Amino acid sequence: MKGRLYIVAGCSGVGKGTLLKLFLKQNPNIIFSISATTRKPREGEQDGVNYFYVSKEEFQNSIDNNEFLEWAEFSGNFYGTKKSFVEKTLNKGIDVILEIEVKGAAQVKQKMPEAVSIFIMPPSVEELEVRLRGRHTESEEAIQKRLNEANRELEAGKSFDYKIVNDNLDDALKRLQDVFDSERRKQC
């Protein structure tokens, strides 16, 4: 049986990373997709573990050869999901999770409509603002930019197959597990 592709997206500060880290710890048989990037590795990062590190020329060749399910440019660096990595893993019968932004999720859904999309939502925009401010890592301008983007992402999130409100981490983790369990039952 072929694996399933799951797309997980949500606003910055909603807790996607924390939620997925806990979920994958409980589900070691599911693979977290590794993106390709043109940015340089940070201290402690490893090629093939954190990212596939490639040159801008290699990345552009992959774009030209339609080798990405999705790709985007952020802060002068390119990031993308290689189709070959995802397809090889799915063909082995292993489920794959992509944690990507909303625009990337739309690109993947267009190329692989059978992918299951899950949108992680904040309990409210006000709570999201509290979380973003609580990080103490960004300027007021950056926070306002993220909040404006969050409103657009929340609108786009309406088109996802599942929506999970991350109001309580344990509850959100249970709801995420329920989505995977439900999708597995559909496959049988």
Side-chain angles (χ1 to χ4, degrees):
M1 185 170 25
K2 193 172 179 179
R4 299 281 315 255
L5 178 60
Y6 294 86
I7 304 165
V8 178
C11 310
S12 178
V14 79
K16 295 180 303 289
T18 303
L19 181 61
L20 285 175
K21 188 181 290 182
L22 291 170
F23 179 77
L24 289 166
K25 197 173 190 178
Q26 292 178 358
N27 294 274
N29 55 328
I30 298 172
I31 298 294
F32 186 78
S33 180
I34 302 168
S35 297
T37 185
T38 58
R39 83 160 171 75
K40 299 292 180 219
R42 295 183 183 130
E43 190 175 324
E45 290 182 337
Q46 296 177 326
D47 185 53
V49 175
N50 303 96
Y51 287 96
F52 295 113
Y53 297 97
V54 299
S55 69
K56 286 191 177 183
E57 183 181 329
E58 289 173 293
F59 201 99
Q60 186 60 55
N61 286 339
S62 291
I63 292 171
D64 295 343
N65 294 322
N66 196 29
E67 295 174 6
F68 289 111
L69 282 176
E70 59 83 30
W71 66 271
E73 182 181 3
F74 296 105
S75 303
N77 291 304
F78 291 92
Y79 297 83
T81 304
K82 286 273 199 157
K83 267 193 273 192
S84 60
F85 175 83
V86 171
E87 288 172 348
K88 278 188 228 173
T89 307
L90 294 176
N91 287 334
K92 291 178 186 172
I94 300 170
D95 292 340
V96 176
I97 293 179
L98 299 179
E99 180 190 354
I100 55 180
E101 43 78 44
V102 172
K103 290 176 188 167
Q107 289 178 44
V108 174
K109 260 311 222 190
Q110 189 172 28
K111 292 177 181 169
M112 295 184 77
E114 71 279 11
V116 177
S117 59
I118 305 164
F119 190 77
I120 309 299
M121 300 176 55
S124 67
V125 175
E126 294 78 18
E127 175 60 25
L128 182 63
E129 183 174 357
V130 168
R131 291 178 187 183
L132 289 171
R133 291 185 185 287
R135 290 177 170 180
H136 303 292
T137 57
E138 299 180 66
S139 67
E140 181 62 28
E141 182 182 341
I143 290 171
Q144 290 305 316
K145 187 176 177 183
R146 288 194 186 276
L147 290 171
N148 289 336
E149 183 64 21
N151 285 318
R152 285 189 290 278
E153 290 172 332
L154 287 167
E155 187 61 34
K158 292 177 181 177
S159 68
F160 280 60
D161 299 319
Y162 295 93
K163 290 104 186 142
I164 295 174
V165 176
N166 190 6
D167 50 353
N168 172 287
L169 192 56
D170 290 334
D171 292 344
L173 184 59
K174 183 184 179 325
R175 288 191 292 271
L176 184 59
Q177 187 66 58
D178 289 346
V179 167
F180 275 75
D181 293 345
S182 172
E183 287 297 322
R184 283 188 189 115
R185 282 191 297 274
K186 288 179 188 177
Q187 277 185 294
C188 296

